Each structure stands twice: as C-alpha cells, then as structure tokens.
Amino acid sequence: MTHIPALRLGRPYESLDKIGLKDSIATVSQVNAGIIHKDLQKIAASRAALKKFSFAQLIELCGRAGDIFLNANDPQHYVETLSATSGLPHVLVRRNMQRIHGMLANMGQVLRGLTRGLDLDDKTSPYCFNPATDCLGLVMPSNSPAVNSLWLPAIALRIPVIIKPGRDEPWTPYRLIQSFIAAGIPAEAFGFYPTDHEGADTILRLCGRALVFGDKSTTDKYAGNPAIQTHGPGYSKVLIGADQIERWPEFLDVLVDSIAANSGRSCLCASTIVVPSYADEIADALAKRLGPIAPMPPEDENASLSAFANPRMAEAIDAGIEQGLATPGAVDVTAQYRGGPRLVNFQGGTYLRPVIVRCDSFAHPLANKEYLFPYAGIVEVSQGKMLEQIGSSLVVTAITRDECWIEQLMESSHIERLNIGPISTMKISWHQPHEGNLFEFLYKRRAFERI
Amino acid sequence: MNFDAHLLEIIKWHFSPETGCPFWLDWARKNFDPCKEIRSSADMLKFPHFQDEWLRDLQPEAWVPAAFKGKPFNIFETGGTTGMPKQRIGWNDYKTDYEEFSGKISDEHFPRGGAWLMVGPTGPRRLRLAIEHLANFRGSSCYFIDLDPRWVKKALTAKDFDHARAYMDHVVEQAVNILKNRKVAGLFTTPKLLEALAEKINLYETGIRGVFCGGTTMAPQYVRFIIEEVLEDKIGFYPTYGNTLMGLAASLPLRPEDNYSITYYAPQPRAILRVVNPQKTDETVPYGAWGRVELTTLTKEFFMPRFLERDEAIRREPRAPYTWDGVAEVRPFGAMEKTIVEGVY
C-alpha cells in the first residue's frame, strides 16, 4: 500500500498515527500540532534557502516543476489514484493538471500580474517591498486539485509554504512539492503536515500569513484577521443585462460552462443566474442541457460528474435541497429532464446529478446556495435591483454593453472579480490575481530612498 | 503477602464494626456480608459497581474507618470535575504509593537532593501533597505552579479557546520563570504543559533531567513526539496513569517493540485495574483488545470495589516485574465516538 509521509521542511516523516484513504489505496501519516510548532521555529532557514535564488531563477524552476508535475513520475498513476479517492473523473483530473501546469509555466506572467509589472530582481527599483511573513500557511480543501494553484506563486516569491492538505486530497500538494524539489527548489521550503484541527489552528495562528479554505462557519471564524485570507463559498454569479437578454440563447454555452465545468466543484462556478426576464425559459433551456448528465465510469473521456468522496455529504446536500424545495417559490426544473433521482449510486460511487432551481426571488433559501456539484438557482430581478440583491460574490460575469450599468458594476464592493461580456466565470487569466493578490498578502510595499 | 490474603484482610477490616467505616457497615447490612461471601479475588464480582455519586453526596465522615476515628484526614478531590467533585479522604495512602513509586525512578533522572518543580493541578488534589512527599522522600524540595483544570474545562466547553490558551500561557510563563531563576532537576507536569513549556525553554539546558508525567491521554505518536522532540532523547521520561481514587500506576521503560505504546501497571495489591467489556462488565476483554477500565481500591483507608473509570484502555499481559495485567494507551471512554474535553490537564 502506498504511504504518504509528512514532510517536515522537506524531511519525510512517517508517523505512528496514519489514516487510510478510500478503499485502502494509501495511508497518510498524521502529525500533532506540536511537531508543526517545532518546525516553525526553524522556518527562517527555509526562507534563507529560497532567498539564495533570484526571482528570475525561481520563475524558471517553477516552469521546470510544472513540466515534471505534468509529465514525470507516472502521471497516469496520479490521475487514477486521485480519481479513486476524490471521485473526480480522469478527464477532470487531467484538466486540473493542465491548469496547475499552466500556472507554473506562466509564473513570470503571473508575478507580473500580481506585482503590476514590478521587476522583483531590480534592486534599483524605486518601489521597495518587504516580506510580511517568513512562510505561508495553507489549510487546504479536498474538493479540487486546481485549488493548489493559489499557493504556487508563493514559492516564486521566495516564501516557504506550510501545507495542511485536505483529508481526501493529499496527492496534489504532495506531487507538487515533489515536482518543485525535483526541479531544484530547496526541499526545506516545503512543509506538508496532514494533521487534525489543532494542527490546522497552529498553522493559522503561527504562520505570519495563511490561507484557509472551508465552509461559511470556518471563514466567519477568521474574518477580520488580516493575517488570514479566507476562501469559502464563492457565490459566483452570471448576470444578464436588460440590453442583452433578448439574445439569451447565444449565452447558454457560457452559462452551462460556468455552472458545470469541473463538475461544479469550484468557488468560481456560478451558483446563481440573475436575469431581468425570460427566467423560466432560460431555466428550462439549462435544465434541458444539464438535466440528462449522468455519472459515467471515471475513465470515460466524456465523464463530467464527480463522485463524492464522502457519500454522507451528498446525502446531506440532497436532503438540504429537498428541504429548500418544501418552501414555496422554487421548482427543480431539471427533475423533468433527469428521469430519476438527484442522488444516485453508480459503480460504487455516490453522485448528485445537476440541478437547476427556478426561484421566485433572492429571498428563497435555494436562490443563493453553493454546492459541490453542478447546481444553480435562477432568479428574475430587474437590472436596477440586481446589485443590491446579489450579495458578496467571488466572480460576477455581467453580460451587458450598458456602460452606465458597467460603471455601477465596477464600483460594487460585493464583487471580487468582474467579467464583462459572455465570459465563463471559470476563466482564469494568468496576468490577473486569482483570488486576492498573493503578492500584496505576502509583501508590504514601503517608501524607500537610498543614496 | 499474596494478593488474596491482602484482599481478605482489607475486606475483614472494612466490614468489621471495630475497624470499618459507617458506609460499608451499613451497606453490608442491606446487601450481603463480604466477610462470609468474599474468599478470593474472583468473588469480587459479587460486588456491584461502586457509584461515584456516593463520593459526591455523602459527608466525608461516612468513609472514616473506625480505626481512624478522631484522626484528622486529608480531603482530596478529583481533577477536572465541574460541579460537586468526588472526594476521597485519606491519611497515609498517598505516602505509601509515592514512596513505592520512588523506587521506580532513577537517581540519574531525579538526583537525590535536586529540586523538583510541579506544574499542574494543586489545590484540593492528592497529587500536590504526593509530589511534594515524593520529592521530600528523595531528599529534595519542590516548587509548585498551579493549574486549575476546572477553569480550563469550562473555557474549552464554552469554546473560549483564546481564554484557555491565555491561561495556559500564564501557567507556562510562571514555570519558565522558576526554571530560569532556580536550579531544578526533576519535573512533574501534564503532557500538554510539558509541550508548551518546551516551546519556551530548552528543558535539558535548563537542568531538567527527569520528567514524571501524567493526567491525560498519551497515544503512541504523542509519546514519540514527547520523547524525541520535546525531551530530545536526553531527559528521562516517566509516564504514569493515576488519579485520586487509585494512586498511581507506573509504566515500564519502553522497548523498541512497544512502538511507543505505554502500558501501566496498577499498584497491586492496593489497587487493581481490569479492562472489561463495556456491555458485560463481569468479563475482561482479551489481551490486546480495548475495554473500559475498572478500578478496585483496597487499602485500610479506602475500599472501593469495581469502580468504572471514565477511561478505556488496551488490556496487556503481565510483564516483569509485574505479575498482573497492565492497561495501555489509556484514553477517555468513548474517545473514538465523541469529542471529549480534556484540555491541558
């Protein structure tokens, strides 16, 4: 059986406590909080090891690591094991790999985007920046491999990472770390600590800067702490303006991709569609496209639905939707095209088939929900009231050419990332910060003069 | 004296009007006469489980054996209980227990005459007097830093983790202060406090040579962490399992094949530990299996048959020099099924 050790600033550590992954595919060492605390006392040496490299060298090594990640060390085995433990079909794992590879291959562009074009190696630059921390702590989720692309720039920015992997997804961060080390990045720049809540809390408390992923209760706990960036539900949305709504059939592909790409397992995926009219027609058209999607064998190239690593989560989501539908004002439009239940078992996996719920207002409990599968509520709201109703949204794609409304969208503090035009919420540009600006999180700019 | 002879002597003592306590004499009148019914350790199953409410609800005088009447007693309370605690009275039992334990710790780790520091629950607990007595018995003196586990438990139950952490920092800060300013060789503390202390100060460099630890769960990985990283394989480590009602069960030095799994042996014949099937507590579980810990205390000061501890453990075979069963990897009963507030204690 495969064993994944902890990595204590690069040094493999096999603990006595191990957890087993699904179907005994692998065991993962578990460390206690004290070990993390102990290692963090030596973190300055890890950062010193990264500082021996110029930023340009690190960018080059990132590119090399990306190639190793994508092509070396039996990638097919990685695809199969990750698919088996996470439920992602092979094709989606490969797509996630491509996304991670893209981030590493384009690290120069990514850093230019994050720093707004700063030449980090130019010591004569009038802009000076100093690190806000010796390391970046990460409490990762299990939902999707590409989420790891968020921390990759830290290495190019000379900041070591202290990672608590998601319980069911140690594979990707572990493989990434191995790829970085093989590419020539010092091993001591990487802490990989499968651990419990106390260990996660230690990472968040003691790393000068940290990212935490989780549900609303997790992110609420750390909201307002400037050293911790929270990544919870995205509540991403597609809005169609009154000027474009008559053309709605042309935007169906964008809507479908926004809702269902990556099996809906991303905070970037749209979970609400907001339109000024034609909500019934659009809901029906989306349901016709998404409703028939059914589980397929993981190795099937056409598979687009992921199984749930934890079947109880799927059951709870299904029950939650059922409960929501009991509140008047919502209809599961996909039901008629699904021809069966939402919750299904297929070849030993538990799946939720796509759901489009037509809600009569934003106030309905199913209108602004986010789940780990292709799900969206569709609501009819007049354009003038959309911005006051959508609430906090990680990504908003607004399909409009109405400059006056675009101006209002640009001003909105509820929207973290804004796409104007028929752009999938899932689209990522390397030169744009993905979620928060990691450079500004890890470094502080300061005034600087030197004679 | 063999175990059954000790058992019969204790039974006779507690159930004879001239030596026994009011509680047990009254109990025998209402139930059965143990002097006639109990002939060997197997007969102890005739007793029902001791009810801990008796130690909460009754006045301490109910437990004074006639032979001790008129002699002031110590009142010891159990650790982290909130509300009315269980109380055990005593005179010399703690001295007997800790004098015996003294023979199990080495002079290399606890040099005779070298000072001790106790960082842990003092207050109404037996442990406070016991540790001081142990130090004194070895020609040493002891410094004390108190920790109130009841307060910590309240904070953790209320999910007030910041407060609990601040309190722990406060305790550790005081201990560091002593270690920086006084020569101390031996340390008694709980595992969590030990870990926190080692984050602030290098224990070996400060002069600590032996650590006597008890009070909460120590799973093998955690034991390994303590030995390798906190004590840096340089300081003697003596984990124990004990409480006010039993005394203390010592552990034997770890062997490689133990894989950091600690087995404790009760201080027989004064106390017996059995690992029983939680559903059928008359039965012990097989060796190597988990079960609930059952404690019987058999001293002239205190008789407590078949008390079901709130702990579970693995039953282990006897190991020299102990000729009786051991209990290993003790943890709160039901730890795998529910979250237990253990805190820093």
Side-chain angles (χ1 to χ4, degrees), chain A residues 8 11 13-17 30-35 37-39 41 198 201 205 221, chain B residues 161-162 165 192 195 198-200 219-222 224-225 228-230 232 259-261:
Chain A
R8 302 185 57 183
R11 185 168 56 86
Y13 179 85
E14 182 172 350
S15 66
L16 298 172
D17 294 341
Q30 299 289 299
V31 301
N32 56 295
I35 282 184
H37 196 289
K38 198 94 188 156
D39 289 356
Q41 291 172 342
E198 193 188 350
D201 188 58
R205 204 159 40 83
K221 193 173 155 191
Chain B
F161 302 116
D162 291 343
R165 193 173 295 122
K192 280 281 177 196
E195 184 185 334
E199 282 166 9
K200 303 280 181 207
Q221 172 62 28
Y222 195 69
R224 177 185 170 193
F225 164 70
E228 288 181 350
E229 323 233 358
V230 175
E232 299 174 301
N259 227 1
Y260 296 96
S261 173

Side-chain angles (χ1 to χ4, degrees), chain A residues 101-118:
Chain A
H101 173 260
M103 169 68 94
L104 288 168
N106 293 284
M107 191 55 78
Q109 205 180 338
V110 170
L111 292 199
R112 274 195 295 283
L114 292 174
T115 62
R116 309 283 179 210
L118 209 57

Side-chain angles (χ1 to χ4, degrees), chain B residues 105-120:
Chain B
I105 59 179
S106 82
D107 289 355
E108 179 198 347
H109 297 134
F110 295 93
R112 292 184 189 264
W116 284 59
L117 169 65
M118 172 180 174
V119 190

Side-chain angles (χ1 to χ4, degrees), chain B residues 27 171 173 178 201 253 304:
Chain B
W27 187 92
V171 171
E173 193 178 297
I178 293 287
I201 196 166
M304 188 184 70

